[in-house]
Amino acid sequence: MRRLLAILCALGTAGGVAVLDPTPAFATCSSIPSTADPAVIVVVHRVGRNLNVSDKALLAGFEAGWVESHMNNLPCGDKTSLGVFQQRYDYGWGTPEQIMDPVYASTQFFTRAIGCDRDHPAYTAGQVAQCVQGSGFPDRYDQAEGTARQLLAAARRIVETSAGSPTDFTGDGKDDIVTFTQGSLADAYVATSTGTTFTGTSVKWNDYFSLGGETALTGDFNGDGKDDAVTFTHGDDADVWVALSTGTSFAGSTKWHDFFAPHAELVATGDVNGDGKDDIVSFTHDGLGDVWVALSTGTSFAGSTKWHDWFAPTGEYPAVADVNGDGKADIVTFTQGPGDTAADVYVALSTGTTFAASAKWHDLFAVGNELPRVGDVDGDGMADIVSFTCDANADAYVALSTGSSFTGTGLKWSDYFCLGGEFPYLADVNGDGKDDAVTFTKGSTNDVWVGLSTGSGFLGGVKWHDFFGLPGETTL
């Protein structure tokens, strides 16, 4: 089984990187990073949601992770302590190698936290963390609640940064829906569109694809008109695996790239060179702001090359879509600043071999915590931008592409679609050439609602499926 993730932390010695010795010889940390590792917070969040833990237990995991390691996968610690939660092999947490796998370590923490939360419903999140950890300093966990909540919000945002990914798995012109359970089951379920509903209770299309901590997306990578599944392992392996669609299932996965998006990069798919096959794109999403591309050959992804050296830095929300209608997917980023001060939208057009210099296409769109999406909602061949408030207002705003900018201050296309905690998406589910609004309710209902596009607005939401995409699963 391929290893999911192994993250090393830099210690106090200049330029030194500590590597775990497989023998039980342990070092005391000379220093702990002052900030959390984005890759680690994503894994902890995904594992917790995959195990369907309560919000309290999830917060307990982040409080414990922050107190013990500042959410870093430390190859050192007090006595025999290792990893994110500073678990000890000689106290029954697993082997040193297992503890250094954040997926394993998180699973061990949350499995115990579920029991503590169930048996002691009055406990605070910090007390649940203490119940699991048995620390000599039990008050530290509740004291970390503020920081833990901030990290939780950041993790959820990274996990849900998927602004567009095509989902016509049967090749009939109508987009379908897919959910990746990830976790230990790693199943992929699809419900196909009839044009008026998503059929059945969903069908398992693959029983081992995209494990916990990986990023699952979709795209037509071999150019046969049917969208396939792709997963990015990240970590030391940094592999990219593809499962091609047969029209009724995803075939067995094969490795299409052996080093792409190794760390906390955000990944996307799109046909950036216009050859009819979707490629993979990676945003480093840090102070460098680099964008890397690996083109599809139809049977693999070629070596990655840098297509842009300053786009979508930390905190922004990137996307890939053909916004000028030339057949090549471009890159888009939403800065998402507060109020009217910095909620800009920038575009860098694809030349087929690189992304050109970025230009501002809108100066007030997708403010704060709104969820932006990209898709051709008016059917003119150019992708537009859509923002879902996903709160009590449940509004959806659209700015249409002219080919050189997104027009207007954003028109309200729906005033009741996507409540808090739901996951919105754009997809042409009825095959009329216009992308529609889709939302996965998650939570206790797990419904899927659709608001069809008229070209100038989204119709009222209609339930197209009543049980699909559970909490913690990746839905597209």
Side-chain angles (χ1 to χ4, degrees):
M1 182 185 299
R2 64 185 188 273
R3 193 168 50 174
L4 303 180
L5 186 61
I7 309 165
L8 303 177
C9 82
L11 298 181
T13 55
V17 177
V19 180
L20 176 66
D21 187 330
T23 63
F26 303 92
T28 301
C29 294
S30 58
S31 67
I32 297 176
S34 61
T35 58
D37 185 328
V40 170
I41 67 171
V42 165
V43 170
V44 175
H45 182 277
R46 281 186 175 145
V47 170
R49 284 310 186 200
N50 286 337
L51 293 173
N52 202 26
V53 302
S54 67
D55 289 343
K56 185 198 297 182
L58 188 61
L59 178 60
F62 275 72
E63 289 183 0
W66 176 256
V67 167
E68 301 298 343
S69 69
H70 283 184
M71 295 297 276
N72 288 270
N73 198 33
L74 300 178
C76 52
D78 179 55
K79 299 178 181 176
T80 57
S81 300
L82 293 170
V84 181
F85 300 101
Q86 291 291 279
Q87 296 159 339
R88 296 179 61 175
Y89 86 95
D90 51 346
Y91 275 56
W93 286 96
T95 67
E97 185 176 35
Q98 287 175 323
I99 293 170
M100 283 300 293
D101 176 356
V103 174
Y104 173 89
S106 300
T107 300
Q108 293 298 306
F109 179 91
F110 286 124
T111 299
R112 291 162 171 77
I114 289 170
C116 290
D117 187 22
R118 179 192 62 237
D119 296 341
H120 305 281
Y123 272 12
T124 65
Q127 288 172 321
V128 171
Q130 171 62 12
C131 177
V132 175
Q133 296 289 99
S135 170
F137 304 93
D139 296 335
R140 295 181 303 167
Y141 299 120
D142 272 327
Q143 293 169 1
E145 179 180 352
T147 300
R149 287 191 181 278
Q150 292 175 359
L151 292 173
L152 250 175
R156 181 185 175 192
R157 185 168 181 78
I158 293 172
V159 169
E160 294 187 348
T161 299
S162 181
S165 183
T167 55
D168 179 10
F169 305 117
T170 63
D172 66 354
K174 298 186 290 289
D175 283 329
D176 312 301
I177 52 174
V178 61
T179 187
F180 299 93
T181 65
Q182 300 188 301
S184 59
L185 295 177
D187 294 325
Y189 288 88
V190 168
T192 57
S193 172
T194 67
T196 56
T197 186
F198 296 119
T199 58
T201 56
S202 74
V203 177
K204 188 187 292 187
W205 275 42
N206 194 296
D207 62 2
Y208 194 74
F209 189 82
S210 193
L211 307 179
E214 300 183 5
T215 300
L217 289 174
T218 54
D220 182 7
F221 304 114
N222 62 348
D224 67 352
K226 299 186 291 289
D227 288 318
D228 315 301
V230 62
T231 188
F232 302 81
T233 67
H234 304 294
D236 278 357
D237 293 333
D239 294 328
V240 183
W241 294 75
V242 169
L244 296 174
S245 173
T246 68
T248 57
S249 67
F250 296 125
S253 62
T254 57
K255 189 190 295 186
W256 277 42
H257 204 291
D258 62 4
F259 195 78
F260 193 85
H263 304 299
E265 293 95 334
L266 300 180
V267 288
T269 65
D271 181 9
V272 298
N273 64 345
D275 67 352
K277 299 185 291 289
D278 282 329
D279 314 298
I280 52 175
V281 181
S282 172
F283 301 87
T284 62
H285 204 236
D286 55 14
L288 296 176
D290 292 330
V291 184
W292 294 79
V293 168
L295 298 174
S296 174
T297 68
T299 57
S300 67
F301 296 118
S304 60
T305 57
K306 188 189 294 187
W307 276 40
H308 206 290
D309 62 3
W310 180 247
F311 197 86
T314 305
E316 298 187 6
Y317 201 117
V320 175
D322 180 10
V323 297
N324 64 346
D326 67 352
K328 299 186 291 291
D330 314 297
I331 51 175
V332 182
T333 189
F334 302 84
T335 64
Q336 295 216 278
D340 59 358
T341 59
D344 297 325
V345 185
Y346 285 86
V347 169
L349 297 174
S350 173
T351 68
T353 57
T354 186
F355 296 120
S358 61
K360 187 189 293 186
W361 276 40
H362 204 292
D363 62 2
L364 182 60
F365 196 84
V367 177
N369 292 320
E370 295 179 9
L371 292 175
R373 299 290 184 260
V374 291
D376 182 10
V377 296
D378 64 350
D380 65 355
M382 296 178 293
D384 313 298
I385 52 175
V386 181
S387 180
F388 296 91
T389 63
C390 292
D391 56 13
N393 294 318
D395 294 326
Y397 291 90
V398 170
L400 298 174
S401 173
T402 67
S404 58
S405 68
F406 298 117
T407 58
T409 56
L411 299 175
K412 188 187 292 187
W413 273 39
S414 179
D415 61 3
Y416 194 75
F417 196 85
C418 189
L419 298 170
E422 298 183 4
F423 182 73
Y425 216 63
L426 296 177
D428 181 9
V429 297
N430 64 348
D432 67 352
K434 299 185 291 289
D435 281 335
D436 312 298
V438 180
T439 189
F440 300 86
T441 64
K442 308 277 190 175
S444 60
T445 58
N446 303 303
D447 296 326
V448 186
W449 291 74
V450 169
L452 294 175
S453 172
T454 66
S456 57
F458 296 124
L459 297 177
V462 176
K463 188 190 294 187
W464 277 41
H465 204 293
D466 62 1
F467 193 75
F468 193 88
L470 278 61
E473 298 182 1
T474 294
T475 46
L476 302 170

